[in-house]
Short mmCIF file of all heavy atoms in Angstrom, two decimals:
data_model
loop_
_atom_site.label_atom_id
_atom_site.label_comp_id
_atom_site.label_asym_id
_atom_site.label_seq_id
_atom_site.Cartn_x
_atom_site.Cartn_y
_atom_site.Cartn_z
N TYR Z 35 110.43 146.17 135.66
CA TYR Z 35 110.34 146.67 134.30
C TYR Z 35 109.69 148.09 134.36
O TYR Z 35 108.62 148.22 134.93
CB TYR Z 35 109.48 145.73 133.45
CG TYR Z 35 109.21 146.21 132.02
CD1 TYR Z 35 110.26 146.42 131.12
CD2 TYR Z 35 107.89 146.57 131.59
CE1 TYR Z 35 109.97 146.90 129.90
CE2 TYR Z 35 107.67 147.00 130.36
CZ TYR Z 35 108.71 147.23 129.51
OH TYR Z 35 108.47 147.71 128.18
N TYR Z 39 106.06 156.29 128.43
CA TYR Z 39 105.22 156.47 127.31
C TYR Z 39 105.06 158.02 127.05
O TYR Z 39 104.96 158.72 128.05
CB TYR Z 39 103.85 155.88 127.46
CG TYR Z 39 103.79 154.37 127.44
CD1 TYR Z 39 104.18 153.54 128.50
CD2 TYR Z 39 103.45 153.71 126.20
CE1 TYR Z 39 104.21 152.19 128.37
CE2 TYR Z 39 103.43 152.34 126.13
CZ TYR Z 39 103.84 151.57 127.19
OH TYR Z 39 103.82 150.20 127.08
N GLN Z 41 102.46 160.70 125.15
CA GLN Z 41 101.10 160.76 124.56
C GLN Z 41 100.88 162.23 124.07
O GLN Z 41 100.76 163.16 124.86
CB GLN Z 41 99.97 160.36 125.58
CG GLN Z 41 98.64 160.29 124.92
CD GLN Z 41 97.57 159.82 125.91
OE1 GLN Z 41 97.67 159.98 127.06
NE2 GLN Z 41 96.51 159.24 125.39
N GLY Z 44 95.24 163.92 121.82
CA GLY Z 44 94.41 163.14 120.94
C GLY Z 44 94.96 161.89 120.39
O GLY Z 44 94.35 161.19 119.53
N LYS Z 45 96.16 161.51 120.81
CA LYS Z 45 96.82 160.34 120.22
C LYS Z 45 96.96 159.24 121.33
O LYS Z 45 96.59 159.46 122.49
CB LYS Z 45 98.24 160.68 119.72
CG LYS Z 45 98.18 161.76 118.64
CD LYS Z 45 97.70 161.26 117.34
CE LYS Z 45 97.77 162.31 116.25
NZ LYS Z 45 99.11 162.72 115.92
N ARG Z 46 97.50 158.08 120.89
CA ARG Z 46 97.65 156.97 121.79
C ARG Z 46 99.00 157.13 122.54
O ARG Z 46 99.88 157.80 122.07
CB ARG Z 46 97.67 155.66 121.01
CG ARG Z 46 99.03 155.52 120.20
CD ARG Z 46 99.00 154.28 119.25
NE ARG Z 46 98.26 154.67 118.06
CZ ARG Z 46 97.98 153.78 117.06
NH1 ARG Z 46 98.32 152.49 117.24
NH2 ARG Z 46 97.34 154.11 116.04
N PRO Z 47 99.11 156.57 123.76
CA PRO Z 47 100.39 156.51 124.41
C PRO Z 47 101.36 155.67 123.55
O PRO Z 47 100.99 154.53 123.11
CB PRO Z 47 100.10 155.84 125.77
CG PRO Z 47 98.64 156.04 125.94
CD PRO Z 47 98.03 155.94 124.55
N LEU Z 49 105.28 153.97 123.44
CA LEU Z 49 106.48 153.60 124.22
C LEU Z 49 107.66 154.29 123.60
O LEU Z 49 107.90 154.20 122.40
CB LEU Z 49 106.66 152.09 124.13
CG LEU Z 49 107.84 151.50 124.84
CD1 LEU Z 49 107.75 151.65 126.34
CD2 LEU Z 49 108.01 150.02 124.51
N ASP Z 52 112.40 152.14 127.73
CA ASP Z 52 112.13 151.31 128.89
C ASP Z 52 113.48 150.85 129.52
O ASP Z 52 114.51 150.92 128.83
CB ASP Z 52 111.19 150.20 128.61
CG ASP Z 52 111.74 149.19 127.51
OD1 ASP Z 52 112.92 149.26 127.20
OD2 ASP Z 52 110.95 148.43 127.02
N ARG Z 54 115.02 147.86 132.40
CA ARG Z 54 114.87 146.74 133.25
C ARG Z 54 115.82 146.79 134.43
O ARG Z 54 116.85 147.47 134.35
CB ARG Z 54 115.08 145.38 132.50
CG ARG Z 54 113.88 145.15 131.53
CD ARG Z 54 114.04 143.94 130.62
NE ARG Z 54 112.82 143.65 129.96
CZ ARG Z 54 112.30 144.25 128.88
NH1 ARG Z 54 112.92 145.28 128.41
NH2 ARG Z 54 111.19 143.88 128.32
N PHE Z 92 104.11 159.45 130.60
CA PHE Z 92 103.65 158.53 131.67
C PHE Z 92 104.81 157.59 131.98
O PHE Z 92 105.40 156.99 131.08
CB PHE Z 92 102.46 157.74 131.19
CG PHE Z 92 101.18 158.51 131.02
CD1 PHE Z 92 100.82 159.02 129.77
CD2 PHE Z 92 100.32 158.75 132.10
CE1 PHE Z 92 99.60 159.68 129.64
CE2 PHE Z 92 99.17 159.48 131.97
CZ PHE Z 92 98.82 159.99 130.72
N SER Z 97 106.08 143.91 136.87
CA SER Z 97 106.92 142.86 137.43
C SER Z 97 106.73 141.53 136.69
O SER Z 97 105.59 141.10 136.42
CB SER Z 97 106.48 142.61 138.93
OG SER Z 97 107.10 141.47 139.44
N SER Z 98 107.85 140.91 136.37
CA SER Z 98 107.75 139.56 135.72
C SER Z 98 107.85 138.51 136.85
O SER Z 98 107.44 137.37 136.55
CB SER Z 98 108.95 139.45 134.82
OG SER Z 98 110.25 139.51 135.49
N ASN Z 99 108.19 138.86 138.00
CA ASN Z 99 108.39 137.79 139.06
C ASN Z 99 107.09 137.19 139.43
O ASN Z 99 107.00 136.02 139.75
CB ASN Z 99 109.05 138.43 140.34
CG ASN Z 99 110.49 138.88 140.02
OD1 ASN Z 99 111.08 138.47 139.03
ND2 ASN Z 99 110.96 139.76 140.87
N GLY Z 101 104.53 136.95 137.51
CA GLY Z 101 103.83 136.46 136.36
C GLY Z 101 102.80 137.49 135.82
O GLY Z 101 102.09 137.24 134.84
N ARG Z 102 102.65 138.60 136.47
CA ARG Z 102 101.71 139.62 136.00
C ARG Z 102 102.38 140.43 134.92
O ARG Z 102 103.46 140.83 134.99
CB ARG Z 102 101.38 140.54 137.12
CG ARG Z 102 100.45 139.95 138.14
CD ARG Z 102 100.19 140.96 139.31
NE ARG Z 102 99.82 142.26 138.85
CZ ARG Z 102 98.53 142.58 138.66
NH1 ARG Z 102 97.61 141.70 138.80
NH2 ARG Z 102 98.22 143.78 138.18
N ARG Z 103 101.63 140.68 133.85
CA ARG Z 103 102.08 141.47 132.76
C ARG Z 103 101.46 142.83 132.75
O ARG Z 103 101.72 143.65 131.87
CB ARG Z 103 101.92 140.78 131.38
CG ARG Z 103 102.87 139.65 131.18
CD ARG Z 103 102.50 138.78 129.99
NE ARG Z 103 103.61 137.88 129.70
CZ ARG Z 103 103.97 136.86 130.41
NH1 ARG Z 103 103.37 136.55 131.52
NH2 ARG Z 103 105.05 136.07 130.03
N ALA Z 104 100.62 143.13 133.78
CA ALA Z 104 100.05 144.44 133.82
C ALA Z 104 101.00 145.48 134.33
O ALA Z 104 101.92 145.19 135.11
CB ALA Z 104 98.78 144.34 134.72
N LEU Z 105 100.87 146.66 133.86
CA LEU Z 105 101.63 147.78 134.30
C LEU Z 105 100.82 148.68 135.13
O LEU Z 105 99.62 148.82 134.93
CB LEU Z 105 102.14 148.61 133.04
CG LEU Z 105 103.08 147.85 132.07
CD1 LEU Z 105 103.32 148.77 130.84
CD2 LEU Z 105 104.38 147.50 132.75
N PHE Z 107 100.52 152.59 136.02
CA PHE Z 107 100.98 153.87 135.40
C PHE Z 107 100.91 154.99 136.44
O PHE Z 107 100.13 155.03 137.37
CB PHE Z 107 100.02 154.30 134.26
CG PHE Z 107 100.31 153.50 132.98
CD1 PHE Z 107 99.74 152.25 132.78
CD2 PHE Z 107 101.11 154.02 131.99
CE1 PHE Z 107 100.02 151.51 131.65
CE2 PHE Z 107 101.39 153.34 130.79
CZ PHE Z 107 100.81 152.05 130.64
N ARG Z 112 102.65 166.73 132.16
CA ARG Z 112 102.43 167.47 130.87
C ARG Z 112 103.64 168.35 130.67
O ARG Z 112 103.88 169.36 131.46
CB ARG Z 112 101.21 168.36 131.00
CG ARG Z 112 100.87 169.17 129.68
CD ARG Z 112 99.46 169.83 129.82
NE ARG Z 112 98.39 168.89 130.04
CZ ARG Z 112 97.83 168.14 129.09
NH1 ARG Z 112 98.16 168.28 127.81
NH2 ARG Z 112 96.84 167.38 129.39
N VAL I 19 97.94 147.73 116.71
CA VAL I 19 96.73 147.28 117.39
C VAL I 19 95.60 148.11 116.67
O VAL I 19 95.72 149.33 116.43
CB VAL I 19 96.73 147.68 118.86
CG1 VAL I 19 95.42 147.38 119.53
CG2 VAL I 19 97.85 146.90 119.55
N SER I 46 99.46 138.85 125.09
CA SER I 46 98.79 139.59 126.14
C SER I 46 97.97 140.74 125.56
O SER I 46 98.39 141.38 124.63
CB SER I 46 99.74 140.15 127.19
OG SER I 46 100.45 139.09 127.81
N PHE I 48 95.34 144.04 126.81
CA PHE I 48 94.93 144.93 127.97
C PHE I 48 93.84 145.86 127.43
O PHE I 48 93.95 146.41 126.42
CB PHE I 48 96.15 145.72 128.47
CG PHE I 48 97.33 144.83 128.72
CD1 PHE I 48 98.20 144.46 127.70
CD2 PHE I 48 97.60 144.51 130.04
CE1 PHE I 48 99.30 143.68 127.95
CE2 PHE I 48 98.73 143.71 130.33
CZ PHE I 48 99.57 143.35 129.27
N TYR I 50 92.31 149.55 128.70
CA TYR I 50 92.48 150.64 129.61
C TYR I 50 91.35 151.66 129.37
O TYR I 50 90.82 151.73 128.27
CB TYR I 50 93.78 151.35 129.32
CG TYR I 50 95.03 150.60 129.73
CD1 TYR I 50 95.68 149.76 128.81
CD2 TYR I 50 95.60 150.66 130.99
CE1 TYR I 50 96.83 149.08 129.17
CE2 TYR I 50 96.77 150.04 131.34
CZ TYR I 50 97.33 149.19 130.38
OH TYR I 50 98.54 148.54 130.75
N GLN I 52 90.78 155.91 129.91
CA GLN I 52 91.52 157.16 130.24
C GLN I 52 90.56 158.33 130.37
O GLN I 52 89.77 158.61 129.41
CB GLN I 52 92.55 157.53 129.20
CG GLN I 52 93.44 158.69 129.55
CD GLN I 52 94.60 158.96 128.60
OE1 GLN I 52 94.36 158.84 127.37
NE2 GLN I 52 95.75 159.31 129.08
N LEU I 58 94.97 157.07 133.42
CA LEU I 58 94.95 155.84 132.73
C LEU I 58 94.70 154.61 133.61
O LEU I 58 95.57 154.35 134.49
CB LEU I 58 96.31 155.71 131.95
CG LEU I 58 96.43 154.72 130.77
CD1 LEU I 58 95.43 155.09 129.67
CD2 LEU I 58 97.87 154.74 130.22
N LEU I 60 93.84 150.53 134.26
CA LEU I 60 93.68 149.19 133.65
C LEU I 60 92.37 148.59 134.08
O LEU I 60 92.06 148.56 135.24
CB LEU I 60 94.85 148.31 134.18
CG LEU I 60 94.79 146.86 133.74
CD1 LEU I 60 95.03 146.74 132.26
CD2 LEU I 60 95.84 146.02 134.51
N TYR I 63 93.04 142.42 131.87
CA TYR I 63 93.99 141.97 130.88
C TYR I 63 93.87 140.48 130.73
O TYR I 63 93.48 139.76 131.62
CB TYR I 63 95.33 142.46 131.12
CG TYR I 63 96.22 141.70 132.13
CD1 TYR I 63 97.12 140.74 131.70
CD2 TYR I 63 96.14 142.09 133.49
CE1 TYR I 63 97.88 140.08 132.67
CE2 TYR I 63 96.95 141.39 134.41
CZ TYR I 63 97.79 140.42 134.02
OH TYR I 63 98.57 139.78 134.91
N ASN I 65 95.91 136.91 129.09
CA ASN I 65 97.13 136.29 128.73
C ASN I 65 96.78 135.02 128.00
O ASN I 65 96.06 134.17 128.64
CB ASN I 65 98.10 136.12 129.85
CG ASN I 65 99.48 135.71 129.46
OD1 ASN I 65 100.00 136.25 128.49
ND2 ASN I 65 100.15 134.78 130.14
N ASP I 71 93.31 139.26 135.22
CA ASP I 71 92.96 140.19 136.28
C ASP I 71 91.89 141.14 135.81
O ASP I 71 92.11 141.96 134.91
CB ASP I 71 94.23 140.97 136.73
CG ASP I 71 94.01 141.92 137.89
OD1 ASP I 71 92.81 142.06 138.29
OD2 ASP I 71 94.97 142.52 138.40
N PHE I 106 91.33 152.45 125.60
CA PHE I 106 92.49 151.96 124.82
C PHE I 106 92.56 150.44 124.98
O PHE I 106 92.40 149.91 126.07
CB PHE I 106 93.77 152.57 125.31
CG PHE I 106 93.90 154.07 124.89
CD1 PHE I 106 93.77 155.04 125.82
CD2 PHE I 106 94.28 154.32 123.60
CE1 PHE I 106 93.92 156.35 125.42
CE2 PHE I 106 94.49 155.69 123.23
CZ PHE I 106 94.32 156.66 124.15
N ARG I 111 103.97 141.28 124.28
CA ARG I 111 104.59 139.96 124.30
C ARG I 111 105.14 139.61 125.63
O ARG I 111 104.96 140.38 126.56
CB ARG I 111 105.74 139.96 123.31
CG ARG I 111 105.34 140.33 121.83
CD ARG I 111 106.49 140.52 120.94
NE ARG I 111 107.38 141.59 121.46
CZ ARG I 111 108.35 142.14 120.82
NH1 ARG I 111 108.63 141.72 119.54
NH2 ARG I 111 109.10 143.07 121.29
N SER I 112 105.81 138.53 125.79
CA SER I 112 106.29 138.04 127.08
C SER I 112 107.34 138.96 127.64
O SER I 112 107.75 138.87 128.78
CB SER I 112 106.81 136.62 126.96
OG SER I 112 107.84 136.55 125.98
N ASP I 113 107.95 139.89 126.81
CA ASP I 113 108.94 140.74 127.31
C ASP I 113 108.39 142.01 128.00
O ASP I 113 109.13 142.99 128.28
CB ASP I 113 110.00 141.13 126.28
CG ASP I 113 109.33 141.76 125.06
OD1 ASP I 113 108.09 141.92 125.07
OD2 ASP I 113 110.05 142.01 124.07
N TYR I 114 107.12 142.08 128.07
CA TYR I 114 106.40 143.14 128.83
C TYR I 114 106.21 144.46 128.09
O TYR I 114 105.56 145.30 128.58
CB TYR I 114 107.04 143.39 130.22
CG TYR I 114 106.83 142.22 131.09
CD1 TYR I 114 107.67 141.11 131.10
CD2 TYR I 114 105.66 142.16 131.89
CE1 TYR I 114 107.44 140.06 131.93
CE2 TYR I 114 105.43 141.10 132.74
CZ TYR I 114 106.33 140.00 132.71
OH TYR I 114 106.10 138.93 133.42
N GLU I 115 106.70 144.65 126.92
CA GLU I 115 106.43 145.84 126.16
C GLU I 115 104.92 145.81 125.78
O GLU I 115 104.40 144.80 125.41
CB GLU I 115 107.28 145.93 124.90
CG GLU I 115 108.72 146.12 125.21
CD GLU I 115 109.54 146.24 123.83
OE1 GLU I 115 108.95 146.24 122.80
OE2 GLU I 115 110.76 146.32 123.99
N GLN I 116 104.28 146.96 125.86
CA GLN I 116 102.92 147.02 125.50
C GLN I 116 102.69 148.16 124.47
O GLN I 116 103.33 149.20 124.57
CB GLN I 116 102.03 147.47 126.73
CG GLN I 116 101.88 146.39 127.76
CD GLN I 116 100.90 146.75 128.87
OE1 GLN I 116 100.00 147.55 128.65
NE2 GLN I 116 101.07 146.18 130.04
N TYR I 117 101.96 147.81 123.48
CA TYR I 117 101.66 148.76 122.36
C TYR I 117 100.17 149.10 122.31
O TYR I 117 99.35 148.19 122.28
CB TYR I 117 102.16 148.16 121.02
CG TYR I 117 103.66 147.91 121.05
CD1 TYR I 117 104.16 146.64 121.45
CD2 TYR I 117 104.54 148.89 120.69
CE1 TYR I 117 105.51 146.45 121.53
CE2 TYR I 117 105.94 148.66 120.76
CZ TYR I 117 106.39 147.45 121.10
OH TYR I 117 107.74 147.28 121.16
N PHE I 118 99.89 150.38 122.39
CA PHE I 118 98.54 150.79 122.42
C PHE I 118 97.90 150.97 121.05
O PHE I 118 98.56 151.36 120.08
CB PHE I 118 98.43 152.15 123.15
CG PHE I 118 98.55 152.01 124.68
CD1 PHE I 118 99.83 151.83 125.17
CD2 PHE I 118 97.50 152.14 125.45
CE1 PHE I 118 99.97 151.71 126.64
CE2 PHE I 118 97.60 152.08 126.86
CZ PHE I 118 98.86 151.82 127.39
N GLY I 119 96.59 150.73 121.04
CA GLY I 119 95.78 151.02 119.81
C GLY I 119 95.41 152.52 119.78
O GLY I 119 95.71 153.20 120.79
N PRO I 120 94.76 152.96 118.76
CA PRO I 120 94.38 154.41 118.64
C PRO I 120 93.32 154.85 119.63
O PRO I 120 93.12 156.01 119.81
CB PRO I 120 93.94 154.53 117.21
CG PRO I 120 93.44 153.12 116.86
CD PRO I 120 94.29 152.18 117.60
#
Side-chain angles (χ1 to χ4, degrees):
Chain Z
Y35 175 64
Y39 286 82
Q41 187 177 27
K45 300 288 183 63
R46 74 188 79 186
L49 179 66
D52 58 16
R54 287 174 169 77
F92 293 94
S97 170
S98 61
N99 296 340
R102 285 175 54 86
R103 283 169 170 72
L105 297 173
F107 283 83
R112 183 174 300 278
Chain I
V19 176
S46 296
F48 309 81
Y50 291 92
Q52 186 175 41
L58 198 58
L60 175 68
Y63 81 96
N65 193 39
D71 185 354
F106 287 104
R111 301 171 301 193
S112 58
D113 57 2
Y114 291 87
E115 292 181 5
Q116 290 186 25
Y117 298 90
F118 283 75

